[in-house]
Amino acid sequence: MRHDESRALYDRALSVIPGGVNSSVRATRPYPFFIERGDGAHVVDADGNRYIDYVMGYGPLLYGHDLPEPVSAAVQSHASAGPMYGAPTEIEVELAEFVARHVPSVEMTRFVNSGTEATVSAVRLARGYTGRDKIVVMQGGYHGAQESTLVEGGPESATPSSPGIPSSFAEHTIPVPFNDADAVERVFEEHGAEIAAVLTEPILANTGIVLPVDGYLDHLRDLTDDHGALLIFDEVITGFRVGGLQCAQGKFGVTPDVTTFGKIVGGGFPVGAIGGRAEILEEFTPAGDVFQSGTFSGHPVTMAAGYEYLTYAAENDVYEHVDRLGRRLREGITDIVEDQAPSYTVVGTDSMFKTIFTRGSTPAGDGDDDRTVCGGGCRQRESCARYDRCPKTGADVADAETERWERIFWQEMKDRGIFLTANQFESQFVSYAHTDEDIEETLEAYKEAL
Ligand SMILES: *Cc1c(COP(=O)(O)O)cnc(C)c1O
């Protein structure tokens, strides 16, 4: 496989773009391949190499790279009508109505331009609504490039995880281990009256895919209710991916006060959204006093793409297809690693999947049962033979062989024409454009690379 063009482009990029990329995860080793175009479930790079793509834009591309006809028609018509105005349009209302119809927690939605902007605004909203400053987040959780959540350490020792963030931001953020009911309970015992919100992904989806153990999300719901704090689900990645149109909150049966969205809800265009009960959302200006605004917010092209994207999913067997192929992949990989690489865990649910190179794990006992459990999506059931080895926290994933993934496994898969997310932490996705043949080809590659 030749990469001369990509190498030359990267060389140029390094002179004018920091690190040669506009989002840090794209900087694969030794250099990224530059993509020329997408084609269904495939991407073609600048040297003409073709890959089956499971990165899918890091989440937004539910249909792969070909937009369903109604989506591309709506995008073109809104772009040619003049892309944006600085005045409201009908399509914003239609998308907000759609989200309210399908997502349990949502009565109202404010649209913004990225997942980061959504979580920033949601935190401000929670603080404004409750009159409190502290937020509880999960270690290993990800809420975009925002000052309040880029923290590391434990409940008593949070510090910013990036230079450039004053430590006073971290003073208001309390990181706890995901799936640890006692830890978050202790935090509420101590700081209950100061906590504005618990902000969590319902599934840790940017750190290897960690599913909630039974009852954990319910526990967060009860705790926040008892202490007058808000529960915010960051569904930027799980929204309209896990649990279909009802999102992960519908799948797990836990309704948060506020939900953040991004990725799929923009149909492949830049987007974010904050949804929730009217009484809370109306704290946003101009209905209320919590400042929120944006030149491009509710951009008509994005709104049209998002609306048609989700409408198409409502009217076709989209989730059935992607979830079935997701299960086939997880089951197939589970079979392969069972024999060849017992130091692994296959994780994921619905159309998300990942293989975690767990350190020091032992081969599974009862193969059949495990295979079914991993294939259907990890349920973190105590009765499962794998239960102890399924990651429960962000730290469990960080403890895996992350170097092995980046330096060897990812490269081996790329050389076999399979484009996976470039590190141990980011999820991978099946799209509506993937076929059974793609899955078979992918499993062959896993067989050789593992
Ligand atoms: C991707 C993501 C974000 C950030 O969204 P951007 O659009 O990249 O700013 C926030 N939260 C979660 C859970 C995400 O997956």
Side-chain angles (χ1 to χ4, degrees):
M1 211 176 252
R2 296 177 63 94
H3 296 292
D4 301 350
E5 287 296 326
S6 283
R7 198 193 169 99
L9 285 168
Y10 189 52
D11 195 26
R12 268 173 66 197
L14 283 171
S15 305
V16 286
I17 297 171
V21 292
N22 279 307
S23 186
S24 19
V25 289
R26 297 176 201 165
T28 54
R29 293 185 241 189
Y31 48 86
F33 54 84
F34 279 61
I35 293 178
E36 195 160 280
R37 66 190 162 85
D39 174 16
H42 296 74
V43 287
V44 178
D45 74 13
D47 293 275
N49 302 307
R50 222 177 139 76
Y51 308 86
I52 304 178
D53 179 11
Y54 294 102
V55 175
M56 286 295 146
Y58 284 89
L61 304 180
L62 184 58
Y63 300 103
H65 300 283
D66 298 335
L67 295 174
E69 198 283 324
V71 181
S72 90
V75 165
Q76 280 166 24
S77 116
H78 280 273
S80 62
M84 52 86 73
Y85 313 102
T89 56
E90 182 178 359
I91 192 68
E92 301 161 58
V93 186
E94 300 224 45
L95 184 54
E97 285 171 347
F98 187 101
V99 174
R101 255 196 320 277
H102 290 277
V103 185
S105 68
V106 176
E107 293 172 2
M108 287 192 169
T109 302
R110 170 63 55 85
F111 290 103
V112 294
N113 307 289
S114 70
T116 298
E117 210 185 326
T119 66
V120 168
S121 297
V123 167
R124 190 183 310 130
L125 178 66
R127 287 171 168 160
Y129 178 80
T130 59
R132 303 170 175 181
D133 285 341
K134 290 195 187 302
I135 55 165
V136 176
V137 299
M138 302 298 151
Q139 292 163 344
Y142 182 66
H143 307 291
Q146 73 142 307
E147 313 327 66
S148 292
T149 59
L150 286 175
V151 297
E152 55 195 20
E156 310 298 332
S157 61
T159 51
S161 61
S162 164
I165 301 177
S167 54
S168 51
F169 276 96
E171 281 168 23
H172 301 297
T173 306
I174 307 176
V176 296
F178 190 61
N179 276 332
D180 186 338
D182 294 340
V184 69
E185 208 159 314
R186 279 195 300 276
V187 160
F188 268 93
E189 271 163 26
E190 194 166 333
H191 304 284
E194 303 156 80
I195 296 171
V198 172
L199 167 62
T200 184
E201 300 169 73
I203 295 171
L204 298 190
N206 292 275
T207 189
I209 313 180
V210 180
L211 275 284
V213 298
D214 266 354
Y216 182 67
L217 298 178
D218 303 88
H219 187 67
L220 296 180
R221 178 66 284 178
D222 293 344
L223 264 183
T224 45
D225 276 344
D226 290 349
H227 289 87
L230 298 186
L231 179 61
I232 307 173
F233 277 179
D234 182 353
E235 294 228 43
V236 169
I237 209 164
T238 53
F240 308 105
R241 166 78 62 187
V242 172
L245 296 175
Q246 59 176 347
C247 306
Q249 56 196 261
K251 181 182 175 96
F252 293 123
V254 176
T255 305
D257 300 295
V258 172
T259 305
T260 53
F261 301 96
K263 299 194 169 117
I264 287 178
V265 80
F269 292 82
V271 79
I274 310 99
R277 289 201 305 280
E279 166 229 349
I280 302 172
L281 265 281
E282 285 186 332
E283 288 291 315
F284 275 144
T285 51
D289 296 328
V290 176
F291 185 75
Q292 210 294 312
S293 221
T295 300
F296 289 110
S297 294
H299 194 288
V301 176
T302 302
M303 296 294 103
Y307 177 72
E308 294 297 340
Y309 225 67
L310 296 181
T311 301
Y312 191 88
E315 292 170 356
N316 294 276
D317 64 342
V318 175
Y319 293 111
E320 214 171 88
H321 180 86
V322 296
D323 293 355
R324 183 178 67 78
L325 293 190
R327 170 186 265 273
R328 266 203 73 187
L329 257 179
R330 288 188 302 268
E331 283 182 357
I333 300 169
T334 303
D335 281 348
I336 292 165
V337 286
E338 191 103 325
D339 307 332
Q340 290 174 247
S343 297
Y344 75 94
T345 309
V346 180
V347 291
T349 184
D350 300 63
S351 56
M352 299 169 61
F353 72 103
K354 192 82 182 179
T355 316
I356 297 179
F357 292 103
T358 320
R359 252 183 244 279
S361 62
T362 48
D366 181 348
D368 263 7
D369 176 46
D370 292 348
R371 192 173 149 280
T372 316
V373 171
C374 290
C378 175
R379 304 290 298 277
Q380 296 279 21
R381 290 225 173 98
E382 284 186 54
S383 57
C384 174
R386 270 186 211 289
Y387 180 76
D388 287 339
R389 283 181 293 128
C390 274
K392 304 283 179 299
T393 66
D396 288 348
V397 178
D399 202 33
E401 307 260 9
T402 55
E403 285 292 298
R404 181 172 167 203
W405 178 281
E406 289 178 38
R407 287 183 190 274
I408 301 173
F409 177 67
W410 186 84
Q411 311 283 348
E412 295 267 334
M413 292 297 279
K414 185 199 74 174
D415 290 344
R416 289 172 174 79
I418 313 289
F419 182 26
L420 300 177
T421 51
N423 62 47
Q424 176 71 91
F425 302 103
E426 308 275 347
S427 178
Q428 296 154 174
F429 309 93
V430 178
S431 80
Y432 197 52
H434 285 91
T435 62
D436 282 284
E437 292 71 49
D438 293 327
I439 303 302
E440 274 154 36
E441 199 178 323
T442 304
L443 289 174
E444 278 307 307
Y446 266 91
K447 206 175 277 179
E448 291 168 21
L450 273 169

